[in-house]
Amino acid sequence: MYTPNCKVKFSGMKLSNVSQKAIEILMQNLANKSPSDSFLCLSLVSGESDINAFLSITSKHGKFDYNKYGFEPLSVVELLSKDLLDQLKIWKANKKF
């Protein structure tokens, strides 16, 4: 999966093309809303009974790490996306970029 300023890793799972495309769109949306010097990294790891997801955003304005877990990869990425969008609102309110 290629999204500029973003790295996505899947471990221990195989996603459908539909799920991969949906995650790619979510990540592209986050990258577009992030400061221009940002880099996002998403890791999805299949556990015994659930999916662990880790999202980090790094820019000259700061670094933030998020972690969620659930049973469906796309729903977990949506939760992480919400957390990051909330942080971006704070950055914008403080005019940090």
Side-chain angles (χ1 to χ4, degrees):
M1 179 178 312
Y2 175 75
T3 302
N5 300 331
C6 182
K7 182 177 183 177
V8 178
K9 299 182 283 187
F10 300 105
S11 179
M13 70 185 77
K14 187 166 184 145
L15 297 177
S16 70
N17 288 339
V18 172
S19 291
Q20 284 183 354
K21 185 64 177 173
I23 290 171
E24 182 178 347
I25 290 168
L26 276 171
M27 293 305 293
Q28 183 63 54
N29 183 41
L30 290 174
N32 290 342
K33 291 181 179 182
S34 298
S36 60
D37 69 335
S38 297
F39 186 79
L40 287 87
C41 183
L42 172 68
S43 296
L44 293 167
V45 180
S46 179
E48 287 185 26
S49 62
D50 56 9
I51 304 290
N52 292 301
F54 307 91
L55 176 65
S56 68
I57 179 171
T58 306
S59 82
K60 68 180 181 180
H61 306 291
K63 180 175 193 247
F64 296 92
D65 296 305
Y66 306 94
N67 181 343
K68 296 286 183 189
Y69 64 92
F71 299 105
E72 295 293 326
L74 182 57
S75 64
V76 176
V77 174
E78 287 171 342
L79 292 171
L80 288 170
S81 174
K82 183 188 176 316
D83 286 351
L84 180 56
L85 289 172
D86 290 344
Q87 180 60 49
L88 291 172
K89 287 178 189 175
I90 293 168
W91 275 351
K92 286 179 183 180
N94 293 323
K95 299 181 183 185
K96 295 263 183 172
F97 66 98

